[in-house]
């Protein structure tokens, strides 16, 4: 394991995507997104994704020539066909347009279908919160084999379909709830797999449906097991709703479609709301939100917990510590990044 500065990881990422043909601004946006995911403690959506994206480039499945096209642009509705364009710049621009729509009219309903992998969904909730907006996102995963079993099932039926909600607090500490609807993100299983470490009880089943601690059960060539949904039937229900809202309504790629080698397709459904339309007194609204979150944070911690946190707190704390101490990247992940960069002519 080695520690890297945010700048080092951003540099490798930017140079690799520029070498693969993307404009500097798009490459820099992927780099910003990856590094912020790493800084936030979500290594599953950081620079470790780079080799997967470059594999999709070499397979001819991810191309700088792909550009999103509007399907519907009639406020408050914005429906965009992502055309498997590079996910992070595509999603960021789509959310920026939806933010403008919500600021103008109070609400926006965004559906971005078929972008390439868009990464950490909380990033877009933070983007909306920075614009003063509440945002709710439901996302599906397609182009891959299903990896998460429905409650009670021993066969997988969807991806890790993430869900995120952001609420601005008016004081720069938005509440950002952002999670995979599996108990563990697939990328976190990949990190454990690359490190060669077991995962805790209750996250995985093997191909026979037996409980497992071995992350290899959700990676080829092992017969495919599955990740379990968080919260049993509750998380499974949110995952199914995400599949329908994000891609099912408007014809985006679905997990039940045939998987395509090295593709990770995300469709996103979002509702953005201007809280000023509900409570125009910004100071009073901000004070109330802060009082509620502070009340929750003030609960005495149980044994095994240092303190009680609100959604988004742990990411803010981790950003401070990783900015100071560096971002850890395990040796296998770094080897894959160097090889992927090398494959497009970038020496690291
Ligand atoms: P996670 O289990 O770490 O949960 C994160 C959420 O829980 C955050 O809102 C965080 O602030 C909150 N949280 C964490 N610890 C807390 C604590 N002690 N007290 C209170 N709140 C706490 O996240 P995850 O499920 O592993 O997901 C990781 C990332 O993967 C997310 O950013 C998600 O968007 C992303 N993801 C993306 C895709 C995709 O296809 N693009 C798929 C799945 C997941």
């Amino acid at each position: 394991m080695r520690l890297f500065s945010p700048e080092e990881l951003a540099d490798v990422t930017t140079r690799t995507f520029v070498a693969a043909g993307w404009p500097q601004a798009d490459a820099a946006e992927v780099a910003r997104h990856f590094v912020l995911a790493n800084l936030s403690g979500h290594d599953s959506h950081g620079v470790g994704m780079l080799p997967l994206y470059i594999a999709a480039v070499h397979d001819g499945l991810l191309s700088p020539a792909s550009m999103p096209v509007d399907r519907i642009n009639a406020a408050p509705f914005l429906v965009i066909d992502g055309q498997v364009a590079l996910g992070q710049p595509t999603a960021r621009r789509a959310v920026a347009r939806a933010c403008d729509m919500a600021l103008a009219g109070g609400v926006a309903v965004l559906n971005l279908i078929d972008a390439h992998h868009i990464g950490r969904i909380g990033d877009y909730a933070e983007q909306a919160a920075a614009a003063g907006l509440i945002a709710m996102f439901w996302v599906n995963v397609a182009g891959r084999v299903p990896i998460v079993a429905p409650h009670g099932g021993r066969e997988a039926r969807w991806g890790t379909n993430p869900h995120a909600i952001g609420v601005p607090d008016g004081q720069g500490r938005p509440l950002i709830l952002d999670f995979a609807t599996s108990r563990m993100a697939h990328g976190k299983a990949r990190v454990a797999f690359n490190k060669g470490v077991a995962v805790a009880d209750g996250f995985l089943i093997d191909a026979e449906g037996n409980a497992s601690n071995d992350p290899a059960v959700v990676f080829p060539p092992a017969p495919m097991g599955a990740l379990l949904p968080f919260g049993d039937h509750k998380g499974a229900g949110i995952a199914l709703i995400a599949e329908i809202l994000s891609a099912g309504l408007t014809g985006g790629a679905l997990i039940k479609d045939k998987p395509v080698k090295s593709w990770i397709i995300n469709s996103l459904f979002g509702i953005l709301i201007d809280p000023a339309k509900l409570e125009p007194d910004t100071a009073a609204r901000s004070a109330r939100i802060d009082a509620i979150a502070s009340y929750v944070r003030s609960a005495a911690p149980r044994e095994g917990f240092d303190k009680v946190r609100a959604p988004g707190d742990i990411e803010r704390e981790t950003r401070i510590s990783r900015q100071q101490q560096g971002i850890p990247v395990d040796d296998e992940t770094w080897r894959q990044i160097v090889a992927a960069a090398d494959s497009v002519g970038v020496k690291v």
Side-chain angles (χ1 to χ4, degrees):
M1 194 271 288
R2 280 176 57 190
L3 290 170
F4 293 86
S5 71
E7 293 75 22
E8 284 173 304
L9 297 180
D11 177 62
V12 175
T13 306
T14 307
R15 287 197 290 132
T16 301
F17 281 96
V18 168
W22 272 275
Q24 175 80 22
D26 286 0
E29 171 53 25
V30 180
R32 184 204 62 78
H33 185 111
F34 278 173
V35 171
L36 189 59
N38 284 115
L39 280 172
S40 307
H42 294 295
D43 294 330
S44 55
H45 289 74
V47 290
M49 293 302 288
L50 184 146
L52 293 179
Y53 291 16
I54 296 301
V57 172
H58 291 312
D59 291 339
L61 298 168
L62 175 59
S63 158
S66 298
M67 297 297 280
V69 291
D70 280 5
R71 273 208 196 168
I72 298 171
N73 181 7
F77 299 102
L78 180 59
V79 181
I80 301 171
D81 184 337
Q83 302 272 332
V84 198
L86 193 59
Q88 286 85 349
T90 301
R92 194 159 185 91
R93 282 194 280 268
V95 170
R97 291 176 63 198
C99 285
D100 289 344
M101 220 177 234
L103 288 170
V107 67
V109 179
L110 170 66
N111 191 192
L112 168 65
I113 63 166
D114 296 351
H116 190 256
H117 186 250
I118 63 175
R120 190 179 71 91
I121 311 308
D123 200 291
Y124 309 105
E126 286 169 3
Q127 180 186 357
L133 298 168
I134 295 167
M136 296 174 261
F137 296 116
W138 295 263
V139 174
N140 89 328
V141 185
R144 322 280 288 173
V145 293
I147 192 68
V148 183
H151 183 56
R154 77 170 194 215
E155 285 181 304
R157 279 294 177 269
W158 48 70
T160 51
N161 292 5
H163 176 38
I165 300 179
V167 180
D169 72 341
Q171 304 180 24
R173 270 205 312 177
L175 294 142
I176 304 291
L177 180 63
D178 168 33
F179 53 75
T181 48
S182 48
R183 269 203 74 190
M184 164 184 264
H186 195 207
K188 285 188 179 156
R190 173 172 48 80
V191 172
F193 181 57
N194 283 349
K195 284 184 183 166
V197 298
V199 303
D201 291 346
F203 289 92
L204 298 170
I205 52 173
D206 65 19
E208 275 75 51
N210 301 313
S212 174
N213 301 98
D214 183 359
V217 301
V218 285
F219 292 94
M224 284 299 274
L227 301 166
L228 291 170
F230 90 93
D232 300 331
H233 52 291
K234 303 174 191 183
I238 296 176
L240 173 58
I241 297 292
E243 189 80 6
I244 292 169
L245 292 184
S246 63
L249 286 179
T250 51
L254 296 167
I255 197 85
K256 69 183 184 59
D257 301 339
K258 198 170 174 296
V260 180
K261 188 183 174 205
S262 74
W263 239 2
I264 317 173
I265 305 298
N266 280 148
S267 292
L268 168 145
F269 183 83
I271 302 173
L272 292 85
I273 302 163
D274 183 355
K277 294 287 191 286
L278 298 164
E279 169 56 276
D281 185 338
T282 308
R285 170 164 39 89
S286 170
R288 280 200 294 272
I289 293 171
D290 185 50
I292 296 166
S294 299
Y295 177 62
V296 170
R297 290 185 185 104
S298 75
R302 280 200 288 143
E303 196 183 325
F305 291 82
D306 58 341
K307 61 177 173 179
V308 170
R309 294 173 171 85
D313 288 355
I314 193 104
E315 285 79 11
R316 275 186 288 272
E317 290 170 22
T318 310
R319 283 173 200 177
I320 292 168
S321 63
R322 286 192 168 188
Q323 276 283 5
Q324 290 164 352
Q325 290 155 22
I327 296 168
V329 179
D330 69 84
D331 294 342
E332 174 55 20
T333 301
W334 183 245
R335 189 195 63 71
Q336 292 175 11
I337 291 168
V338 172
D342 187 63
S343 75
V344 291
V346 171
K347 297 291 165 224
V348 180

